[in-house]
Amino acid sequence: ILVSCESALFYYDPNSQEIEKYSKVNGLSDAGLGITAYDSTTNTIIITYENSNIDIVQDDKVYNIPDIKNRSIEGSKEINSISFYNNKAYLSCGFGIVVLDLTRHEIYDTYYLGENSSAINVNCVYINDTSIFAGTVNGLLYADKNSNALASSETWKNKNMVVGNNYKEVNYILPLNSKDLLINILMTNSTHSYLTRYNGNTLTVVDSDAYIINLRRCQDKIVRISYLSLSIMDSSFNQIYHISDQWNPVSGLSLDLKDAIIDNNDLWIS
């Protein structure tokens, strides 16, 4: 189990119950960790820092990618999320998408998706068999994943998915099944959002007053963390498990939750 906190990274082995700690003192390139992600296909850990520095960890070796940190870039340098596809890591950033080559340990490309290839805040990226999707402040953008011109904003099309009072900012895109996507659309100037199901043509609202802190797919389940609560649902949105401030099975456990994963029959919560 991989755990990230502000100053260090921890590995916890559930079998041996041993903890191994990594920090700037013993190998990492910086301090002040941002977000962390793991790719099981390449056995790679991506570590980002609050100053936009990046480490790629493979086979206990650390490869530093300081390019975003060091460059003068239009827009925010904040790294919002990380996704993986075909030996590459896609970093959703405050200015666009940065693609890391996990084999060569370098930046492969940068996509500026704003008008006339300008900076735009990208919250998340998802790639399926045919397309690449980007959740942005201006809605859901998509393009042919095999296009040679993904660095040009003209290649990307806007799905123009608007709900409620013209809400369109997308901050989560998850595969629901082989055809449908689970998309979260933020309400403007609010902590709440619309959780929606998108089949390529139709957008269906699943929850019109969602407060979502974290949303992920684990195995065949949907794990949703809200304020002081956690819900696990199947792909039809039937609730399988729930804990909240009103029903807490663990005495003394704070339910100020940040993340959770399912590992076989175990639920791990941070």
Side-chain angles (χ1 to χ4, degrees), residues 65-131:
I65 313 291
D67 302 57
I68 299 176
K69 171 187 172 182
N70 294 338
R71 289 180 183 175
S72 177
I73 295 176
E74 177 191 358
S76 168
K77 292 185 179 184
E78 184 174 359
I79 300 172
N80 299 314
S81 65
I82 304 169
S83 57
F84 299 95
Y85 186 82
N86 197 23
N87 296 325
K88 293 182 175 63
Y90 291 76
L91 278 56
S92 302
C93 303
F95 57 88
I97 300 171
V98 173
V99 186
L100 298 182
D101 188 320
L102 300 182
T103 303
R104 298 175 62 89
H105 312 120
E106 63 185 16
I107 291 181
Y108 175 81
D109 211 342
T110 303
Y111 308 150
Y112 290 93
L113 310 185
E115 186 176 0
N116 298 319
S117 298
S118 60
I120 187 175
N121 185 44
V122 178
N123 293 313
C124 54
V125 170
Y126 171 69
I127 303 174
N128 63 16
D129 292 340
T130 60
S131 304

Side-chain angles (χ1 to χ4, degrees), residues 1-5 7-28 33 36 45 47 57 59-62:
I1 304 297
L2 181 65
V3 184
S4 173
C5 63
S7 60
L9 187 72
F10 298 86
Y11 298 92
Y12 175 71
D13 188 330
N15 297 317
S16 67
Q17 299 186 357
E18 293 179 337
I19 295 177
E20 188 172 2
K21 177 181 175 181
Y22 285 87
S23 66
K24 189 175 181 181
V25 175
N26 62 350
L28 299 185
L33 271 67
T36 304
I45 300 170
I47 302 168
V57 183
D59 300 323
D60 292 327
K61 294 182 180 179
V62 178

Side-chain angles (χ1 to χ4, degrees), residues 239-258:
Q239 186 167 283
I240 300 170
Y241 182 77
H242 178 78
I243 58 174
S244 69
D245 193 38
Q246 288 74 38
W247 190 82
N248 184 354
V250 184
S251 176
L253 173 67
S254 169
L255 288 181
D256 183 12
L257 308 177
K258 302 300 181 185

Side-chain angles (χ1 to χ4, degrees), residues 152-184:
S152 170
S153 62
E154 295 181 359
T155 305
W156 295 76
K157 299 178 176 61
N158 196 318
K159 283 290 186 181
N160 293 318
M161 297 188 309
V162 177
V163 297
N165 188 21
N166 199 34
Y167 303 129
K168 60 184 179 180
E169 180 175 356
V170 173
N171 69 333
Y172 287 103
I173 307 170
L174 302 175
L176 195 54
N177 51 47
S178 60
K179 297 184 298 182
D180 298 347
L181 296 177
L182 187 63
I183 297 173
N184 197 56

